[in-house]
Structures are given as C-alpha cells and as structure tokens.
Amino acid sequence: SLQWKLPVDELTVKDGVVSHASGKSAPYAAFAKFAAATPSGEVKLKLRADWKLIGKNAPRTDIPSKVDGTAQFGMDVRLPNMVFASIRMCPMLGGGTGSVQANAALAMPGVERLVYLPGYAGSTAGFAVVGKTSWHARQGAQAVEATWQQRPLGGLDSAAIQAKLLATVNDLNKDGFAFYSRGDAKADLTAGASEAGKSAGKRVIESIYTAPYLAHATMEPMNCTAQVKAGKVEIWVPTQVPQFARMVAAKVAGVATEDVTIHVTLLGGGFGRRLESDFVAQAVRVAMDCDGRPVQLVWPREEDMTHDFYRPMHVAKLSAVMDAKGSVSTLRIKSAGDAISPRVMERVGFGGPIDTPDKTTSEGLFDLPYGVANQHMAHVATRMDVPVGFWRSVGHSHNAFFSESFMDELAVNAKQDPVEFRRQLLKETPRYLAVLDLAASKANWGSALPAGRARGVALHESFGSIVAQVAEVSIDDGKPRVHRVVCAVDCGTVVNPDTVKQQMQSSVVFALSAAFYGKIEIQGGVVQQSNFPDYPVVKLAQSPVVEVHIVPSQRAPAGVGEPGVPPLAPAVANALFALTQKRYRSLPLV
C-alpha cells in the first residue's frame, strides 16, 4: 500500500500476487526491496478459514526422482577423472594403527595408493586405499596386512559398562544433577518404607530399567566425495550439518572456510549419524593425496556398524510411593549414562573437556505430565569412552521406555486399567488426556481381542508433540509379533497431514526394529555386530498395520520426525506383559 499509495483494505493477495481493482498487480518480489526498508508495523494474519494450503494433503516433490532413479544421493555422485577410496579402521574403538604391509595390495590392478588416517573428530585411526573403482578400492583395502594397537586404557566392554551404570544408580552417595524436583520425594519415600507407612497401607515400588548402545544403521553408509585443488576444496556430501562439514573440511585441508564449496546431496538416512563429520574429514585427507582429482570415500557396512557414534547405554532406577487406594504420591527417577551434547561439542571444536549438565540425558523424565505431588528426576552423567552421538529422538528414545513401562507397573500394582490409571493422573493436563483418549478410542481399548493377543499403551511428549500409541501383540513361534499400532498425535497446527502420517508410520517401524533387535555389544574394544544379519531391522512381512489419528490444534506447528519413536517400545513391552505376565525391563525385547 505504501509503494502504490493505495489503501491496504483495497488490496487483495492470491497465489503470491498483490492486486487492486484498478488493474494494478505485481508479485511479492516486486515489493521485496521496499518492504525490507519499511518498518513492519502491525501484521494481520490470514484467517484460518481462508487457508488454502496449510492443513491440506500435498504430494511430496521428491518421490518422482526417487522412483525413476534420478535422485542424487551421496554415493550417486560421479565426476570427471574421479577415483574411489575404501577405509579400514582399527577394530578396537579408540585404538590405533600398528604395522601396515601394503605392497601386495598396491600391486593389484586398479589399486593406486594407501593414505593413513588419524583419528579425526572422535573417529578411530586407520587407513584408506584409493582405486580406479569402488570395487578396486575395497579389494585393495582388504588385501592390506595390518596389525592394530589397543587404546592405552585397555579395551572397552559393554557388559562392564552396564555393571558400572547399575552400581551408579544404586549408589546412595551419587545423586547426580536434579533436572526437576517438586515436593519432597526423599522424605515421602522414607516414610513409605517405614513401619508406620506400611501400617498405613503405603508401598514403595522400585524397578531398574536398561537400554543398550544402538547404531544408526542408515541405509546409505557414510560417504563423501572431495576434491582439493589449487588451494580450494569442494565436497559433495549427505550431511545434516553443512556448516560444520564445511568447517571440518577447511581445517583438514588448511584453508579458509570461504575456500570450501559444499554440495549437499540427498541423505540415505540420517537419524543423527550425519550430524557428525568424521567421514568428511577422512575424504578431504584422502583427496589431498590424489593430485587434484575428486575422490569418493565410501565406508563398507562393516566399518559403518563398528565405528558409529552410538546412542549411549543408559540405566534408570524408578521409585514410587503408592497408598492402599492405588494413588501415587511420589515418583523418583535416577538415571545414569553418558551425556551426548558435551562430546559433540568437543568434536566440533568448542573445546574440552566439557561436562556441563546435558538435558538430553533426562529429557522425557524430568518433564512428565502426570500429577504426582512429589517428584525428583536426576541424572548421573558418566564418561565411558564409547563414542556417542544423537540418535533419532535422542534421550526420549530410551527414557520413554523407562517411564511408560514403569507407569504400567504402577497401574498393575494399583489393580487399575493402564489407560484409566493414566487418566486419573492427567486431570490437570487436558492436552495429554485428549491424545490418550483418542488413541484408546481408535484402538477399541477394553474390547475383546482374539485369543493370544493383548494390547499395551504408552504416552509421551517430545519435541513439542504428544504421541500416544496402542500396540496389539501376540507371540508367534515363541517370538513377539506386533500386528497393529494405533497412533494419536497432537503436533500443533498441521501443515501437511500426509507427511505427519508418514513420519509416524516410519517412526513405528524404525522404533520397532530397535525395540526387537537393537543392541550393540563391545568386547575387548571390538563391536560385535557388523552388518544386518546380526543387527537386523524389521522386514516388510513383520511390519504392523499403523493407523494414525491427528488431534486438531490451534497451537504452532511442532515436531513430527522424532516424536513417534519413543512410545513404541513401552507400548509393545506393556502389551507383552498383559499377554505373558512377564515384565520386560531391558531392551531389546527379543
């Protein structure tokens, strides 16, 4: 209106074009420069009733290229005069390279050179072999005779780490950092355990839950194509953090950040693994020895699985005080395990060591919606030296298993239906209650099921969204089988309902793979799982029917990529208890 000097009430906006009855019209771009220099004033938002795109299903624009094969992922990059590289790293986490005999490998047709790789950005040291094709490079790397050195502090062992974490949560002298506290949980627990408390019908209920290390196991292994030429670096990489990848490339090559050009390809799965840039550093280092030619570095699956930045192993001790009527007066949770954020900050160059409280260790525990008078949620941050990183839904991924499985235990102890038990504790949090009620209703909670089947429920908030899931489970040939998952979600204002449903569906399958099979074991510093035969994912025939129901909301949009993961494991575990009367307190469930 200021540029045309016309009353704003006479202007209409449609499909990105501003129009006036006089015939004047122009796209937004025509006003951009003038608008940028004009005070914003009062902005009047379009009424929801007039929305034409938000809240409507829209087809994804990436599907056609992924179907016809024209989509470019990192491993699809092909450049003139390009060579390929394959890596081998010390099998022992944190270890180093000993003697290397590469003469036989370098004599193989198509094999060009060997490049030593120091432990960049938290990665383990090793070497890369460069070849004419990826096959030549892989064959050459396998032909190298290498000895490896264990880390000076000795080999890491996941069983020993778990024992330390269990001792930590049971150690009364280690309180940890309290992320949330209200009332006096300690006093109520003491009173509940006393003879007077027992006489009054009070009970203290305690359980310990554990979650293992997990790999990301992305479909596309780690890879990066790099070219170092004339003081410039160019990289083609599937990364979740282009700015950090660029910084790492500059540091390795010894150039200014502005001398690095980055091309971000499609990612064949990220889930937090591609927040790291170790593979970028390796690719740039190899490219520095390739005479200005581009080189594509690809990790074999075995290296990918055994040199990940794993979801940390965590242990939690949960305690509650319940009276004779089944009412809960106290909920105390003490967890232990490595913190992720400080380790990531060290890797990206913020200095170190860094050991400030990290809320991701306790998220999903310190912010529970249940109306319990006395609460105390604390975490003891450890440093077990296993490389750890962000995994889809981060701390929520295991903390929801701890809290929602324990809520089911409390419901059983109270001799109440698990949904009704939660309803009583959600009276002051109607938004959560609405999500729980929708999931229960759509799943026909309480109705009869075929013989040999049972339902379990879980409710959890993460990344601003609340998700409730009801899993329908049976035991087939001695193994659990999930037939149906009913999912209700309140993620605020929904932009594209189809995307929300797809994210919930993918979250269920992703989380079910972890719940059934996910476990990384370390012995003598060596990760025992190396590929999908010993680190399986749920197959199509094992996937449940997933029904998604969205709660209408006036709130701002919230997350949908991660909130569907946390409730799945506890919902399945709770269903298995209803079916077998056996309580599953450790992941994986199979």
Side-chain angles (χ1 to χ4, degrees):
S1 65
L2 293 175
Q3 190 167 333
W4 283 351
K5 303 188 184 311
L6 292 169
V8 68
D9 293 341
E10 295 181 10
L11 303 178
T12 59
V13 178
K14 183 179 180 181
D15 298 331
V17 175
V18 181
S19 304
H20 186 259
S22 64
K24 280 180 172 285
S25 68
Y28 286 159
F31 306 100
K33 186 175 181 180
F34 187 81
T38 304
S40 60
E42 184 180 350
V43 177
K44 184 178 180 182
L45 299 178
K46 183 187 291 186
L47 297 174
R48 284 179 175 252
D50 297 330
W51 287 359
K52 294 184 178 179
L53 297 177
I54 297 176
K56 305 295 190 299
N57 291 327
R60 285 172 47 170
T61 58
D62 60 333
I63 297 300
S65 64
K66 289 177 178 177
V67 172
D68 65 25
T70 58
Q72 188 176 65
F73 293 84
M75 292 176 65
D76 293 324
V77 172
R78 292 294 181 269
L79 301 168
N81 203 30
M82 189 168 82
V83 291
F84 297 82
S86 184
I87 65 163
R88 280 179 62 190
M89 290 183 282
C90 178
M92 293 89 78
L93 294 174
T97 306
S99 65
V100 174
Q101 300 295 329
N103 291 339
L106 294 174
M108 296 171 65
V111 175
E112 184 176 306
R113 68 187 67 193
L114 180 145
V115 180
Y116 287 98
L117 300 171
Y120 287 113
S123 63
T124 300
F127 58 81
V129 171
V130 179
K132 181 180 178 181
T133 68
S134 58
W135 186 86
H136 288 101
R138 178 62 175 146
Q139 294 301 307
Q142 290 178 321
V144 175
E145 297 180 9
T147 60
W148 306 100
Q149 297 176 340
Q150 183 63 269
R151 71 186 195 123
L153 294 176
L156 296 161
D157 186 276
S158 55
I161 291 172
Q162 185 179 78
K164 290 179 183 178
L165 296 180
L166 289 168
T168 298
V169 296
N170 283 311
D171 189 341
L172 299 178
N173 296 317
K174 292 183 179 179
D175 293 331
F177 181 85
F179 285 91
Y180 180 74
S181 185
R182 79 179 187 197
D184 196 336
K186 183 177 181 180
D188 196 43
L189 281 165
T190 301
S194 68
E195 290 303 320
K198 293 176 182 177
S199 298
K202 289 190 175 183
R203 290 175 291 158
V204 174
I205 301 162
E206 288 188 337
S207 292
I208 291 179
Y209 282 79
T210 66
Y213 290 108
L214 289 183
H216 293 83
T218 60
M219 289 297 100
E220 182 185 24
M222 299 303 101
N223 70 91
C224 176
T225 300
Q227 184 174 31
V228 180
K229 186 177 182 181
K232 306 286 186 181
V233 179
E234 195 165 3
I235 56 176
W236 294 257
V237 59
T239 177
Q240 294 173 255
V241 282
Q243 66 277 30
F244 288 139
R246 194 173 180 227
M247 288 166 52
V248 167
K251 183 177 181 180
V252 172
V255 302
T257 305
E258 54 266 27
D259 289 327
V260 178
T261 301
I262 183 169
H263 307 271
V264 180
T265 66
L266 291 173
L267 282 64
F271 313 125
R273 178 60 180 94
R274 287 184 164 91
L275 292 171
E276 307 290 343
S277 297
D278 51 326
F279 53 98
V280 176
Q282 292 173 340
V284 172
R285 176 63 191 88
V286 175
M288 292 170 67
D289 275 17
C290 288
D291 308 316
R293 293 171 297 169
V295 57
Q296 184 175 99
L297 175 74
V298 177
W299 286 26
R301 175 63 66 188
E302 290 75 13
E303 296 289 344
D304 185 28
M305 196 77 75
T306 57
H307 294 89
D308 201 344
F309 291 92
Y310 304 97
R311 188 191 77 174
M313 175 186 287
H314 273 221
V315 170
K317 184 174 184 178
L318 301 96
S319 308
V321 177
M322 180 179 289
D323 66 18
K325 295 181 180 180
S327 296
V328 179
S329 58
T330 286
L331 182 60
R332 182 182 187 273
I333 304 174
K334 179 183 176 183
S335 56
D338 281 18
I340 299 171
S341 298
R343 305 292 81 82
V344 172
M345 291 171 67
E346 290 172 6
R347 292 197 289 269
V348 299
F350 285 99
I354 300 170
D355 284 301
T356 56
D358 178 10
K359 77 175 185 67
T360 68
T361 59
S362 192
E363 60 186 0
L365 297 178
F366 67 75
D367 47 2
L368 296 177
Y370 299 113
V372 178
N374 304 294
Q375 297 187 26
H376 187 84
M377 282 67 175
H379 182 83
V380 180
T382 59
R383 189 162 188 171
M384 299 300 181
D385 293 339
V386 174
V388 295
F390 295 110
W391 193 89
R392 191 174 184 180
S393 75
V394 200
H396 295 282
S397 66
H398 46 78
N399 288 336
F401 172 66
F402 301 158
S403 62
E404 281 300 286
S405 296
F406 191 61
M407 292 304 298
D408 204 72
E409 286 200 61
L410 296 181
V412 171
N413 274 275
K415 296 181 172 56
Q416 295 180 23
D417 174 84
V419 170
E420 186 57 35
F421 180 77
R422 286 172 172 82
R423 282 177 176 151
Q424 296 304 313
L425 293 171
L426 294 172
K427 291 178 178 179
E428 297 180 5
T429 51
R431 186 180 173 214
Y432 292 84
L433 184 57
V435 177
L436 176 66
D437 283 345
L438 180 60
S441 172
K442 295 297 184 180
N444 297 315
W445 184 270
S447 65
L449 282 171
R453 291 196 186 187
R455 297 186 184 96
V457 65
L459 171 74
H460 194 78
E461 179 186 6
S462 61
F463 307 95
S465 296
I466 304 168
V467 177
Q469 291 174 355
V470 176
E472 187 176 311
V473 175
S474 71
I475 302 291
D476 291 346
D477 294 327
K479 295 183 179 179
R481 171 72 188 274
V482 180
H483 298 271
R484 179 189 184 209
V485 175
V486 177
C487 177
V489 54
D490 180 347
C491 56
T493 297
V494 173
V495 177
N496 186 347
D498 269 355
T499 298
V500 174
K501 293 177 181 178
Q502 290 164 10
Q503 286 288 350
M504 292 300 116
Q505 291 163 348
S506 81
S507 293
V508 165
V509 175
F510 181 89
L512 187 57
S513 294
F516 273 0
Y517 311 121
K519 186 176 185 179
I520 288 294
E521 298 167 297
I522 307 167
Q523 297 175 13
V526 180
V527 172
Q528 301 302 295
Q529 290 72 26
S530 63
N531 210 320
F532 290 114
D534 50 20
Y535 194 86
V537 295
V538 168
K539 299 179 177 65
L540 183 61
Q542 299 169 303
S543 298
V545 172
V546 182
E547 302 170 20
V548 181
H549 305 278
I550 301 172
V551 177
S553 175
Q554 301 289 313
R555 292 172 173 264
V560 294
E562 307 192 62
V565 172
L568 191 280
V572 172
N574 294 338
L576 287 172
F577 174 81
L579 190 63
T580 67
Q581 297 303 293
K582 174 186 174 183
R583 183 62 65 183
Y584 291 75
R585 297 189 180 96
S586 295
L587 292 173
L589 302 173
V590 175

